[in-house]
Amino acid sequence: MKLTCVVLCSLLILTVGAFAGGFENNNVGLKATAMGGAFRALADDWTASYYNPAAFALIPDNQLAGNASFLHYRNEIIPNYRRLSGTDAYETGFFNDRSIYNPHEILSNPSGGFVLRTPLAGETVVGFSIYQPFDYNVTWTLFDPLPAYSTLYSLPGDQYRTNLDVVAFQLSAGREFKEDELYLGLGLELLRADLIFTEISFHENPMPAPFDDRPYELIPEWSKNDGHGFGFGIRSGMLWKPSERINVGFTAHLPFDITISGDSSNLNFYLPNLARTTGFQVGTIEDLFSSGAQINALADFETKLQMPASAGVGVAFDLNEKLTVTLDAQYMLWSKFEGFAFEYSNFSRISRLVDTSLIVDGADSTYTGDWVKQNTSHPVDWKNSGRVMMGARYEASNLFTLYGGGYADQSPARNATQFTPNFVDTGNKYGLSGGVMFHINEWDFGIASSFTSYPDLTIPAIDSDGDGVDDSFPGEYKADLYETVLSFIYRF
């Protein structure tokens, strides 16, 4: 008992919930959530499809299960986004020096699956599950065009938004390869990715002076891209039992890139509102770029979602008949994800005036239509990262089981040179988690909760290429994450 208390206290002090860096969802299932994600060597329910398909071979009964996760992001930005010109800084329309919070909404994430023992190839255990291996959702309202541009139009509220959902439909199988010692498993994923991505960017004013005199030299654009795509992934696992009380798990995940496309890109340009004293003729390009008008275009788009491969190892040790402790480590190749680059085609809703007008600025000339139809790129500079997780399971009685644990997570954005509100990952994270599962005949019902603490981050204003636009979105960033999971399992 003394050893048990020491171990439990050590876990509470040294470990710390279960959300990965970047946009990986490491909270699939109640037990793993409550144990900080340290579940590779213990995965004893339907979530083995995610944590270690080999563990299916050790599940003694058939199962039908589901759970619902409820997430609450507490993000804050104090913008410091000003246009730079030498040592001078000019306002741009961002809500600088004010605390801006993301919408305080509760997001839901359902998942579920079943496990079925079959007489195939000795006794192969198969499972089918639906869950989200990658998930991210953040929305910001940070900007309104300066009166020098337009007082006629207001931007939508979702000015910076990333809503990324990758759902896996996974068929898995696990079986014993060496009696009471070695188990192997494999999972095949059909992946569906849905993306809504909005951002404000600035484009050089194509018009000559005086149309591009300060503060009209850069024109803001709000773009919205809404699309989806399909892809595939593979999960593999091995479970080794060197002794009766120890399990060791090894896993690997390889998701293939997904091409996301859509036909609902919305591109909006907010043009300068000059005090017109020269009387430009209505219906000319000069009138358009001086009257505070808005150019709106629709287009098809295509972008690529690059998801990171990963590998992990976990150990589960039965300290006694009631208490099991686990330790996991994972390495993710986040450097593969380079952000989103949107390629546009099949434009519509562009007036003939905008599409065909030729603008001459000294020796340079451009068609307004080409200026509107520019592709956009939103890069990130992420590094590969690791995560360590620890957990504990205490079978208190036949009526209920207690779980606890946590993690330390290295941020892929820890040295990022490009930082935007679309991906708020402020640094290495720590958290705590816990839960309880109640057992009633063939049914298990449970609840778990986790808290993830992010460090505060200050991004300085840097314009390395001298174009007047910051390389990143400067300001002060704060973030926390709360999650609650409800679960049921029916064993038959």
Side-chain angles (χ1 to χ4, degrees), residues 4-16 34 390-392 403-407 431-434:
T4 298
C5 293
V6 170
V7 171
L8 286 174
C9 291
S10 298
L11 285 172
L12 287 174
I13 294 172
L14 297 176
T15 67
V16 270
M390 296 182 68
Y403 302 89
Y407 83 100
L432 287 170
S433 59

Side-chain angles (χ1 to χ4, degrees), residues 197-350:
F197 189 94
T198 71
E199 190 183 54
I200 294 171
S201 55
F202 292 93
H203 298 273
E204 241 184 90
N205 192 331
M207 298 289 287
F211 299 93
D212 65 347
D213 290 345
R214 186 175 304 279
Y216 311 120
E217 69 271 33
L218 295 176
I219 293 178
E221 176 197 8
W222 176 78
S223 59
K224 180 178 181 179
N225 305 282
D226 185 350
H228 67 273
F230 289 91
F232 299 94
I234 299 173
R235 289 188 184 271
S236 61
M238 181 177 75
L239 194 63
W240 174 47
K241 292 180 66 69
S243 73
E244 185 66 27
R245 300 173 63 184
I246 299 176
N247 291 356
V248 182
F250 303 90
T251 61
H253 181 215
L254 179 62
F256 298 99
D257 293 350
I258 297 177
T259 297
I260 297 176
S261 59
D263 57 3
S264 56
S265 279
N266 199 328
L267 312 177
N268 296 275
F269 298 83
Y270 297 84
L271 302 181
N273 183 24
L274 282 70
R276 292 181 293 165
T277 58
T278 53
F280 298 113
Q281 182 179 348
V282 174
T284 64
I285 199 67
E286 291 81 7
D287 176 72
L288 182 69
F289 271 79
S290 62
S291 60
Q294 180 186 24
I295 296 177
N296 174 258
L298 297 180
D300 298 344
F301 81 90
E302 186 173 287
T303 189
K304 192 174 291 294
L305 173 61
Q306 303 155 314
M307 296 168 290
S310 62
V313 60
V315 178
F317 179 55
D318 295 331
L319 290 178
N320 54 47
E321 292 182 354
K322 291 182 176 292
L323 179 63
T324 300
V325 295
T326 59
L327 173 65
D328 279 29
Q330 182 179 4
Y331 191 72
M332 302 198 67
L333 302 180
W334 276 114
S335 60
K336 181 182 179 183
F337 178 68
E338 299 177 347
F340 293 109
F342 295 96
E343 297 182 0
Y344 298 111
S345 61
N346 300 325
F347 286 84
S348 62
R349 200 186 287 181
I350 300 178

